[in-house]
Amino acid sequence: MKDGIETQKTSPTLEAAIAYVTRLLKEELTDEYKFHSYAHTFEVADLCEKMGAYYHLPDEDFENLLISAWFHDTGYTCCYNGHETTGAEIAEKFLASRGFDPKRIEIVKDLIMSTKIDAKPANLLQEILRDADIQHVGRKNFFVKGQLLREEWQSILGHTFNDLEWELTQYKFLTTSQFLTKYTKEKFKSRKKKNIEKQEAILYKLYDAKSKLPDTGKTGRGTETMYRVSYRNHINLSAIADRKANMMMSINTLILSAIIAIAGSGFAMVGGQRVEYYRFGIPIAVLLLTSLGSVIFAILSAKPNVTHNLASAIRLKERKSSILYFGNFTQMPLQDYLTDMETLRRDNKLLYDNMSTDLYYLGLVLKKKFKLLQASYTVFMAGLILAVVMLILILIYSKYISESPIL
């Protein structure tokens, strides 16, 4: 027995590791570490031991798992960000000093690194440690633990949240954190569901309180009509631009095809006299190039333009993004999207800000479309005028040469 943990498969190295980590965390961690404290490490190690017994792990795997559980947060004694790497180094130094197997040291280090938020556990041991590290999402003390973490972030990192921002952060963590092992899925499923329901109730209460404040951003039918008409106008203008672009593509494609066919067959038939026809090649080349330029601009105008501006709760509030545009929300996890849509539904001002942002970006797309379309028409018109003028000059010059007396 060590600190309340029944070490069913204890060893001198494990006993020494528990004593070392216990002393390190209690002496080096300040009172600011309200969540990542010795108590958290104790809880993680305790659950790892229970799960190790449940899965009948071999002695060596069991020892590796428990050593990793005790060392996984020791990096907080040196730094906050990147503490997993530091914790792995602390464990390596301790185990090496005791002549621990180098291969097993690497396993312990990999186990500690698997607790990173973006890591993907590669085996059962890593899944057990990862589940033990987030076990509070399936326990009654989730909300108490959350408040401790909030205070820790504020004290150490300077991160401040209002109540709504924090509860949204908690809700996201609850709904995105998934248990990986059969043991934790069965043990914590019911409580996790209750925690999510309670978190949703807290959010609804905050939203309702916010809706009762002055200047809630509520609007009347006139504003709704304005947005409806604006969206319809943007859609109609976009359709007009696409029709004009398609028309330019059709016309210029026909001109290009005709020029290529006529020019090719014409030069083929004249044989030895084809030099006389080269004078007409200049206006043909001009018309060919300008038609090509015109159709390129038309294609660019009609080409689908999907912008990507990742939406988030913060960007929504700062009006830097709109969740209403598919190019933004399709990059979000489903649960984040549903949460933010719920936020919009309950906050009229934020909803209309999002609609205004969406209209703004639609306007930018329309501006680009019509600018390219204008360039297509300009190039096409200039090519026609230039080709006709050059053809007239060539005909006048040819007539003048043919009527001149032979000297």
Side-chain angles (χ1 to χ4, degrees), residues 106-138:
E106 292 302 316
I107 293 175
V108 169
K109 290 172 63 179
D110 289 340
L111 278 164
I112 295 173
M113 294 304 295
S114 71
T115 61
K116 292 183 67 174
I117 192 67
D118 57 348
K120 295 182 178 180
N123 52 55
L124 177 60
L125 293 183
Q126 293 183 9
E127 289 178 352
I128 290 174
L129 182 57
R130 181 66 171 264
D131 283 358
D133 197 27
I134 63 168
Q135 61 180 285
H136 62 289
V137 303

PDB file of all heavy atoms in Angstrom, residues 106-138:
ATOM      1  N   GLU A 106      11.764   4.212 -23.139  1.00  0.00           N
ATOM      2  CA  GLU A 106      11.130   4.795 -24.323  1.00  0.00           C
ATOM      3  C   GLU A 106       9.625   4.549 -24.317  1.00  0.00           C
ATOM      4  O   GLU A 106       8.845   5.415 -24.735  1.00  0.00           O
ATOM      5  CB  GLU A 106      11.754   4.208 -25.591  1.00  0.00           C
ATOM      6  CG  GLU A 106      13.199   4.623 -25.832  1.00  0.00           C
ATOM      7  CD  GLU A 106      13.350   6.142 -25.919  1.00  0.00           C
ATOM      8  OE1 GLU A 106      12.508   6.779 -26.597  1.00  0.00           O
ATOM      9  OE2 GLU A 106      14.283   6.680 -25.307  1.00  0.00           O
ATOM     10  N   ILE A 107       9.217   3.378 -23.837  1.00  0.00           N
ATOM     11  CA  ILE A 107       7.782   3.088 -23.733  1.00  0.00           C
ATOM     12  C   ILE A 107       7.110   4.043 -22.751  1.00  0.00           C
ATOM     13  O   ILE A 107       6.026   4.576 -23.011  1.00  0.00           O
ATOM     14  CB  ILE A 107       7.560   1.621 -23.303  1.00  0.00           C
ATOM     15  CG1 ILE A 107       8.032   0.667 -24.406  1.00  0.00           C
ATOM     16  CG2 ILE A 107       6.087   1.380 -22.970  1.00  0.00           C
ATOM     17  CD1 ILE A 107       7.968  -0.796 -24.008  1.00  0.00           C
ATOM     18  N   VAL A 108       7.760   4.281 -21.621  1.00  0.00           N
ATOM     19  CA  VAL A 108       7.228   5.206 -20.620  1.00  0.00           C
ATOM     20  C   VAL A 108       7.127   6.618 -21.197  1.00  0.00           C
ATOM     21  O   VAL A 108       6.113   7.314 -20.994  1.00  0.00           O
ATOM     22  CB  VAL A 108       8.114   5.201 -19.355  1.00  0.00           C
ATOM     23  CG1 VAL A 108       7.722   6.343 -18.418  1.00  0.00           C
ATOM     24  CG2 VAL A 108       7.995   3.868 -18.626  1.00  0.00           C
ATOM     25  N   LYS A 109       8.144   7.045 -21.910  1.00  0.00           N
ATOM     26  CA  LYS A 109       8.133   8.381 -22.521  1.00  0.00           C
ATOM     27  C   LYS A 109       6.988   8.504 -23.536  1.00  0.00           C
ATOM     28  O   LYS A 109       6.294   9.525 -23.588  1.00  0.00           O
ATOM     29  CB  LYS A 109       9.473   8.668 -23.190  1.00  0.00           C
ATOM     30  CG  LYS A 109      10.620   8.862 -22.210  1.00  0.00           C
ATOM     31  CD  LYS A 109      11.957   8.951 -22.911  1.00  0.00           C
ATOM     32  CE  LYS A 109      12.049  10.134 -23.826  1.00  0.00           C
ATOM     33  NZ  LYS A 109      13.358  10.235 -24.485  1.00  0.00           N
ATOM     34  N   ASP A 110       6.804   7.463 -24.361  1.00  0.00           N
ATOM     35  CA  ASP A 110       5.708   7.487 -25.335  1.00  0.00           C
ATOM     36  C   ASP A 110       4.355   7.530 -24.637  1.00  0.00           C
ATOM     37  O   ASP A 110       3.423   8.206 -25.110  1.00  0.00           O
ATOM     38  CB  ASP A 110       5.779   6.255 -26.243  1.00  0.00           C
ATOM     39  CG  ASP A 110       6.949   6.298 -27.219  1.00  0.00           C
ATOM     40  OD1 ASP A 110       7.467   7.408 -27.450  1.00  0.00           O
ATOM     41  OD2 ASP A 110       7.335   5.241 -27.746  1.00  0.00           O
ATOM     42  N   LEU A 111       4.235   6.833 -23.522  1.00  0.00           N
ATOM     43  CA  LEU A 111       2.989   6.866 -22.760  1.00  0.00           C
ATOM     44  C   LEU A 111       2.696   8.271 -22.256  1.00  0.00           C
ATOM     45  O   LEU A 111       1.566   8.764 -22.357  1.00  0.00           O
ATOM     46  CB  LEU A 111       3.074   5.887 -21.581  1.00  0.00           C
ATOM     47  CG  LEU A 111       2.770   4.417 -21.898  1.00  0.00           C
ATOM     48  CD1 LEU A 111       3.254   3.517 -20.772  1.00  0.00           C
ATOM     49  CD2 LEU A 111       1.268   4.232 -22.109  1.00  0.00           C
ATOM     50  N   ILE A 112       3.699   8.926 -21.719  1.00  0.00           N
ATOM     51  CA  ILE A 112       3.514  10.300 -21.218  1.00  0.00           C
ATOM     52  C   ILE A 112       3.138  11.241 -22.355  1.00  0.00           C
ATOM     53  O   ILE A 112       2.239  12.080 -22.225  1.00  0.00           O
ATOM     54  CB  ILE A 112       4.789  10.781 -20.502  1.00  0.00           C
ATOM     55  CG1 ILE A 112       5.034   9.944 -19.241  1.00  0.00           C
ATOM     56  CG2 ILE A 112       4.686  12.267 -20.145  1.00  0.00           C
ATOM     57  CD1 ILE A 112       6.355  10.226 -18.557  1.00  0.00           C
ATOM     58  N   MET A 113       3.791  11.100 -23.512  1.00  0.00           N
ATOM     59  CA  MET A 113       3.503  11.971 -24.657  1.00  0.00           C
ATOM     60  C   MET A 113       2.099  11.723 -25.222  1.00  0.00           C
ATOM     61  O   MET A 113       1.522  12.595 -25.862  1.00  0.00           O
ATOM     62  CB  MET A 113       4.546  11.761 -25.745  1.00  0.00           C
ATOM     63  CG  MET A 113       5.964  12.193 -25.365  1.00  0.00           C
ATOM     64  SD  MET A 113       6.053  13.938 -24.849  1.00  0.00           S
ATOM     65  CE  MET A 113       5.619  14.759 -26.386  1.00  0.00           C
ATOM     66  N   SER A 114       1.550  10.532 -24.971  1.00  0.00           N
ATOM     67  CA  SER A 114       0.209  10.230 -25.486  1.00  0.00           C
ATOM     68  C   SER A 114      -0.877  11.013 -24.758  1.00  0.00           C
ATOM     69  O   SER A 114      -2.032  11.018 -25.188  1.00  0.00           O
ATOM     70  CB  SER A 114      -0.086   8.732 -25.359  1.00  0.00           C
ATOM     71  OG  SER A 114      -0.273   8.344 -24.010  1.00  0.00           O
ATOM     72  N   THR A 115      -0.533  11.685 -23.663  1.00  0.00           N
ATOM     73  CA  THR A 115      -1.523  12.489 -22.936  1.00  0.00           C
ATOM     74  C   THR A 115      -1.680  13.885 -23.528  1.00  0.00           C
ATOM     75  O   THR A 115      -2.511  14.663 -23.057  1.00  0.00           O
ATOM     76  CB  THR A 115      -1.151  12.618 -21.445  1.00  0.00           C
ATOM     77  OG1 THR A 115       0.118  13.275 -21.321  1.00  0.00           O
ATOM     78  CG2 THR A 115      -1.062  11.247 -20.796  1.00  0.00           C
ATOM     79  N   LYS A 116      -0.886  14.223 -24.549  1.00  0.00           N
ATOM     80  CA  LYS A 116      -1.056  15.510 -25.212  1.00  0.00           C
ATOM     81  C   LYS A 116      -2.449  15.577 -25.824  1.00  0.00           C
ATOM     82  O   LYS A 116      -2.984  14.573 -26.299  1.00  0.00           O
ATOM     83  CB  LYS A 116       0.002  15.705 -26.300  1.00  0.00           C
ATOM     84  CG  LYS A 116       1.414  15.865 -25.756  1.00  0.00           C
ATOM     85  CD  LYS A 116       2.410  16.138 -26.878  1.00  0.00           C
ATOM     86  CE  LYS A 116       2.156  17.486 -27.526  1.00  0.00           C
ATOM     87  NZ  LYS A 116       3.206  17.820 -28.524  1.00  0.00           N
ATOM     88  N   ILE A 117      -3.021  16.750 -25.852  1.00  0.00           N
ATOM     89  CA  ILE A 117      -4.408  16.919 -26.277  1.00  0.00           C
ATOM     90  C   ILE A 117      -4.635  16.483 -27.712  1.00  0.00           C
ATOM     91  O   ILE A 117      -5.706  15.992 -28.071  1.00  0.00           O
ATOM     92  CB  ILE A 117      -4.849  18.396 -26.090  1.00  0.00           C
ATOM     93  CG1 ILE A 117      -6.362  18.526 -26.253  1.00  0.00           C
ATOM     94  CG2 ILE A 117      -4.100  19.295 -27.054  1.00  0.00           C
ATOM     95  CD1 ILE A 117      -7.159  17.846 -25.181  1.00  0.00           C
ATOM     96  N   ASP A 118      -3.617  16.637 -28.568  1.00  0.00           N
ATOM     97  CA  ASP A 118      -3.778  16.286 -29.979  1.00  0.00           C
ATOM     98  C   ASP A 118      -3.151  14.943 -30.339  1.00  0.00           C
ATOM     99  O   ASP A 118      -3.062  14.582 -31.513  1.00  0.00           O
ATOM    100  CB  ASP A 118      -3.167  17.371 -30.864  1.00  0.00           C
ATOM    101  CG  ASP A 118      -1.691  17.608 -30.562  1.00  0.00           C
ATOM    102  OD1 ASP A 118      -1.215  17.108 -29.529  1.00  0.00           O
ATOM    103  OD2 ASP A 118      -1.021  18.300 -31.365  1.00  0.00           O
ATOM    104  N   ALA A 119      -2.706  14.175 -29.332  1.00  0.00           N
ATOM    105  CA  ALA A 119      -2.068  12.880 -29.598  1.00  0.00           C
ATOM    106  C   ALA A 119      -3.129  11.811 -29.854  1.00  0.00           C
ATOM    107  O   ALA A 119      -4.257  11.897 -29.370  1.00  0.00           O
ATOM    108  CB  ALA A 119      -1.188  12.477 -28.419  1.00  0.00           C
ATOM    109  N   LYS A 120      -2.744  10.810 -30.633  1.00  0.00           N
ATOM    110  CA  LYS A 120      -3.624   9.683 -30.912  1.00  0.00           C
ATOM    111  C   LYS A 120      -3.015   8.418 -30.300  1.00  0.00           C
ATOM    112  O   LYS A 120      -2.006   7.923 -30.814  1.00  0.00           O
ATOM    113  CB  LYS A 120      -3.819   9.508 -32.416  1.00  0.00           C
ATOM    114  CG  LYS A 120      -4.551  10.670 -33.076  1.00  0.00           C
ATOM    115  CD  LYS A 120      -4.767  10.424 -34.558  1.00  0.00           C
ATOM    116  CE  LYS A 120      -5.541  11.576 -35.203  1.00  0.00           C
ATOM    117  NZ  LYS A 120      -5.755  11.348 -36.651  1.00  0.00           N
ATOM    118  N   PRO A 121      -3.591   7.919 -29.220  1.00  0.00           N
ATOM    119  CA  PRO A 121      -3.045   6.719 -28.572  1.00  0.00           C
ATOM    120  C   PRO A 121      -2.886   5.561 -29.553  1.00  0.00           C
ATOM    121  O   PRO A 121      -3.770   5.303 -30.373  1.00  0.00           O
ATOM    122  CB  PRO A 121      -4.088   6.407 -27.502  1.00  0.00           C
ATOM    123  CG  PRO A 121      -4.720   7.733 -27.201  1.00  0.00           C
ATOM    124  CD  PRO A 121      -4.762   8.454 -28.512  1.00  0.00           C
ATOM    125  N   ALA A 122      -1.751   4.869 -29.439  1.00  0.00           N
ATOM    126  CA  ALA A 122      -1.425   3.828 -30.409  1.00  0.00           C
ATOM    127  C   ALA A 122      -1.642   2.418 -29.878  1.00  0.00           C
ATOM    128  O   ALA A 122      -1.561   1.464 -30.653  1.00  0.00           O
ATOM    129  CB  ALA A 122       0.028   3.993 -30.868  1.00  0.00           C
ATOM    130  N   ASN A 123      -1.892   2.269 -28.585  1.00  0.00           N
ATOM    131  CA  ASN A 123      -2.077   0.931 -28.029  1.00  0.00           C
ATOM    132  C   ASN A 123      -2.922   1.011 -26.763  1.00  0.00           C
ATOM    133  O   ASN A 123      -3.311   2.111 -26.328  1.00  0.00           O
ATOM    134  CB  ASN A 123      -0.719   0.271 -27.746  1.00  0.00           C
ATOM    135  CG  ASN A 123       0.183   1.159 -26.906  1.00  0.00           C
ATOM    136  OD1 ASN A 123      -0.199   1.608 -25.818  1.00  0.00           O
ATOM    137  ND2 ASN A 123       1.383   1.435 -27.408  1.00  0.00           N
ATOM    138  N   LEU A 124      -3.216  -0.139 -26.174  1.00  0.00           N
ATOM    139  CA  LEU A 124      -4.095  -0.183 -25.010  1.00  0.00           C
ATOM    140  C   LEU A 124      -3.535   0.594 -23.829  1.00  0.00           C
ATOM    141  O   LEU A 124      -4.282   1.308 -23.138  1.00  0.00           O
ATOM    142  CB  LEU A 124      -4.334  -1.643 -24.599  1.00  0.00           C
ATOM    143  CG  LEU A 124      -5.189  -1.861 -23.343  1.00  0.00           C
ATOM    144  CD1 LEU A 124      -6.578  -1.270 -23.522  1.00  0.00           C
ATOM    145  CD2 LEU A 124      -5.278  -3.349 -22.995  1.00  0.00           C
ATOM    146  N   LEU A 125      -2.227   0.490 -23.573  1.00  0.00           N
ATOM    147  CA  LEU A 125      -1.638   1.206 -22.435  1.00  0.00           C
ATOM    148  C   LEU A 125      -1.844   2.714 -22.582  1.00  0.00           C
ATOM    149  O   LEU A 125      -2.198   3.404 -21.622  1.00  0.00           O
ATOM    150  CB  LEU A 125      -0.149   0.886 -22.320  1.00  0.00           C
ATOM    151  CG  LEU A 125       0.230  -0.555 -21.949  1.00  0.00           C
ATOM    152  CD1 LEU A 125       1.745  -0.672 -21.800  1.00  0.00           C
ATOM    153  CD2 LEU A 125      -0.464  -0.991 -20.677  1.00  0.00           C
ATOM    154  N   GLN A 126      -1.624   3.234 -23.789  1.00  0.00           N
ATOM    155  CA  GLN A 126      -1.803   4.670 -24.025  1.00  0.00           C
ATOM    156  C   GLN A 126      -3.269   5.061 -23.905  1.00  0.00           C
ATOM    157  O   GLN A 126      -3.593   6.146 -23.409  1.00  0.00           O
ATOM    158  CB  GLN A 126      -1.248   5.044 -25.397  1.00  0.00           C
ATOM    159  CG  GLN A 126       0.260   4.894 -25.505  1.00  0.00           C
ATOM    160  CD  GLN A 126       0.806   5.341 -26.854  1.00  0.00           C
ATOM    161  OE1 GLN A 126       0.093   5.916 -27.672  1.00  0.00           O
ATOM    162  NE2 GLN A 126       2.086   5.068 -27.090  1.00  0.00           N
ATOM    163  N   GLU A 127      -4.170   4.196 -24.348  1.00  0.00           N
ATOM    164  CA  GLU A 127      -5.600   4.483 -24.219  1.00  0.00           C
ATOM    165  C   GLU A 127      -6.017   4.520 -22.744  1.00  0.00           C
ATOM    166  O   GLU A 127      -6.813   5.375 -22.342  1.00  0.00           O
ATOM    167  CB  GLU A 127      -6.408   3.416 -24.967  1.00  0.00           C
ATOM    168  CG  GLU A 127      -6.285   3.512 -26.482  1.00  0.00           C
ATOM    169  CD  GLU A 127      -7.057   2.417 -27.181  1.00  0.00           C
ATOM    170  OE1 GLU A 127      -7.555   1.505 -26.486  1.00  0.00           O
ATOM    171  OE2 GLU A 127      -7.161   2.460 -28.421  1.00  0.00           O
ATOM    172  N   ILE A 128      -5.472   3.606 -21.953  1.00  0.00           N
ATOM    173  CA  ILE A 128      -5.798   3.587 -20.520  1.00  0.00           C
ATOM    174  C   ILE A 128      -5.336   4.876 -19.851  1.00  0.00           C
ATOM    175  O   ILE A 128      -6.099   5.517 -19.104  1.00  0.00           O
ATOM    176  CB  ILE A 128      -5.137   2.364 -19.841  1.00  0.00           C
ATOM    177  CG1 ILE A 128      -5.804   1.068 -20.303  1.00  0.00           C
ATOM    178  CG2 ILE A 128      -5.217   2.487 -18.313  1.00  0.00           C
ATOM    179  CD1 ILE A 128      -5.120  -0.188 -19.781  1.00  0.00           C
ATOM    180  N   LEU A 129      -4.099   5.281 -20.112  1.00  0.00           N
ATOM    181  CA  LEU A 129      -3.569   6.498 -19.491  1.00  0.00           C
ATOM    182  C   LEU A 129      -4.337   7.727 -19.963  1.00  0.00           C
ATOM    183  O   LEU A 129      -4.649   8.626 -19.168  1.00  0.00           O
ATOM    184  CB  LEU A 129      -2.083   6.643 -19.818  1.00  0.00           C
ATOM    185  CG  LEU A 129      -1.370   7.849 -19.199  1.00  0.00           C
ATOM    186  CD1 LEU A 129      -1.505   7.840 -17.680  1.00  0.00           C
ATOM    187  CD2 LEU A 129       0.110   7.870 -19.599  1.00  0.00           C
ATOM    188  N   ARG A 130      -4.672   7.776 -21.243  1.00  0.00           N
ATOM    189  CA  ARG A 130      -5.413   8.916 -21.778  1.00  0.00           C
ATOM    190  C   ARG A 130      -6.798   9.013 -21.125  1.00  0.00           C
ATOM    191  O   ARG A 130      -7.239  10.110 -20.735  1.00  0.00           O
ATOM    192  CB  ARG A 130      -5.545   8.752 -23.300  1.00  0.00           C
ATOM    193  CG  ARG A 130      -6.285   9.886 -24.007  1.00  0.00           C
ATOM    194  CD  ARG A 130      -5.522  11.196 -23.922  1.00  0.00           C
ATOM    195  NE  ARG A 130      -6.137  12.194 -24.766  1.00  0.00           N
ATOM    196  CZ  ARG A 130      -5.739  12.464 -26.001  1.00  0.00           C
ATOM    197  NH1 ARG A 130      -4.708  11.809 -26.511  1.00  0.00           N
ATOM    198  NH2 ARG A 130      -6.331  13.381 -26.721  1.00  0.00           N
ATOM    199  N   ASP A 131      -7.488   7.870 -20.993  1.00  0.00           N
ATOM    200  CA  ASP A 131      -8.817   7.880 -20.361  1.00  0.00           C
ATOM    201  C   ASP A 131      -8.728   8.280 -18.892  1.00  0.00           C
ATOM    202  O   ASP A 131      -9.577   9.015 -18.388  1.00  0.00           O
ATOM    203  CB  ASP A 131      -9.462   6.503 -20.481  1.00  0.00           C
ATOM    204  CG  ASP A 131     -10.023   6.249 -21.878  1.00  0.00           C
ATOM    205  OD1 ASP A 131      -9.927   7.157 -22.720  1.00  0.00           O
ATOM    206  OD2 ASP A 131     -10.538   5.142 -22.116  1.00  0.00           O
ATOM    207  N   ALA A 132      -7.703   7.790 -18.219  1.00  0.00           N
ATOM    208  CA  ALA A 132      -7.548   8.129 -16.800  1.00  0.00           C
ATOM    209  C   ALA A 132      -7.292   9.623 -16.616  1.00  0.00           C
ATOM    210  O   ALA A 132      -7.736  10.226 -15.632  1.00  0.00           O
ATOM    211  CB  ALA A 132      -6.408   7.323 -16.196  1.00  0.00           C
ATOM    212  N   ASP A 133      -6.613  10.224 -17.573  1.00  0.00           N
ATOM    213  CA  ASP A 133      -6.265  11.647 -17.483  1.00  0.00           C
ATOM    214  C   ASP A 133      -7.490  12.549 -17.651  1.00  0.00           C
ATOM    215  O   ASP A 133      -7.503  13.676 -17.163  1.00  0.00           O
ATOM    216  CB  ASP A 133      -5.204  11.975 -18.536  1.00  0.00           C
ATOM    217  CG  ASP A 133      -4.494  13.287 -18.240  1.00  0.00           C
ATOM    218  OD1 ASP A 133      -4.416  13.673 -17.062  1.00  0.00           O
ATOM    219  OD2 ASP A 133      -4.012  13.929 -19.193  1.00  0.00           O
ATOM    220  N   ILE A 134      -8.517  12.073 -18.366  1.00  0.00           N
ATOM    221  CA  ILE A 134      -9.722  12.894 -18.580  1.00  0.00           C
ATOM    222  C   ILE A 134     -10.928  12.294 -17.865  1.00  0.00           C
ATOM    223  O   ILE A 134     -12.073  12.596 -18.216  1.00  0.00           O
ATOM    224  CB  ILE A 134     -10.028  13.064 -20.080  1.00  0.00           C
ATOM    225  CG1 ILE A 134     -10.339  11.699 -20.716  1.00  0.00           C
ATOM    226  CG2 ILE A 134      -8.889  13.746 -20.803  1.00  0.00           C
ATOM    227  CD1 ILE A 134     -10.942  11.801 -22.110  1.00  0.00           C
ATOM    228  N   GLN A 135     -10.703  11.479 -16.847  1.00  0.00           N
ATOM    229  CA  GLN A 135     -11.794  10.765 -16.188  1.00  0.00           C
ATOM    230  C   GLN A 135     -12.835  11.692 -15.580  1.00  0.00           C
ATOM    231  O   GLN A 135     -14.002  11.306 -15.419  1.00  0.00           O
ATOM    232  CB  GLN A 135     -11.231   9.848 -15.102  1.00  0.00           C
ATOM    233  CG  GLN A 135     -10.470  10.589 -14.004  1.00  0.00           C
ATOM    234  CD  GLN A 135      -9.916   9.652 -12.951  1.00  0.00           C
ATOM    235  OE1 GLN A 135     -10.648   9.138 -12.110  1.00  0.00           O
ATOM    236  NE2 GLN A 135      -8.602   9.421 -13.005  1.00  0.00           N
ATOM    237  N   HIS A 136     -12.459  12.941 -15.257  1.00  0.00           N
ATOM    238  CA  HIS A 136     -13.396  13.830 -14.586  1.00  0.00           C
ATOM    239  C   HIS A 136     -14.612  14.179 -15.442  1.00  0.00           C
ATOM    240  O   HIS A 136     -15.633  14.609 -14.913  1.00  0.00           O
ATOM    241  CB  HIS A 136     -12.694  15.106 -14.119  1.00  0.00           C
ATOM    242  CG  HIS A 136     -12.116  15.936 -15.215  1.00  0.00           C
ATOM    243  ND1 HIS A 136     -11.002  15.544 -15.941  1.00  0.00           N
ATOM    244  CD2 HIS A 136     -12.486  17.148 -15.718  1.00  0.00           C
ATOM    245  CE1 HIS A 136     -10.724  16.479 -16.833  1.00  0.00           C
ATOM    246  NE2 HIS A 136     -11.597  17.447 -16.723  1.00  0.00           N
ATOM    247  N   VAL A 137     -14.511  14.010 -16.801  1.00  0.00           N
ATOM    248  CA  VAL A 137     -15.690  14.294 -17.628  1.00  0.00           C
ATOM    249  C   VAL A 137     -16.815  13.308 -17.336  1.00  0.00           C
ATOM    250  O   VAL A 137     -17.979  13.578 -17.657  1.00  0.00           O
ATOM    251  CB  VAL A 137     -15.356  14.273 -19.141  1.00  0.00           C
ATOM    252  CG1 VAL A 137     -14.252  15.256 -19.466  1.00  0.00           C
ATOM    253  CG2 VAL A 137     -14.978  12.883 -19.606  1.00  0.00           C
ATOM    254  N   GLY A 138     -16.475  12.178 -16.721  1.00  0.00           N
ATOM    255  CA  GLY A 138     -17.486  11.185 -16.379  1.00  0.00           C
ATOM    256  C   GLY A 138     -17.681  11.022 -14.888  1.00  0.00           C
ATOM    257  O   GLY A 138     -18.170   9.982 -14.433  1.00  0.00           O
TER     258      GLY A 138
END
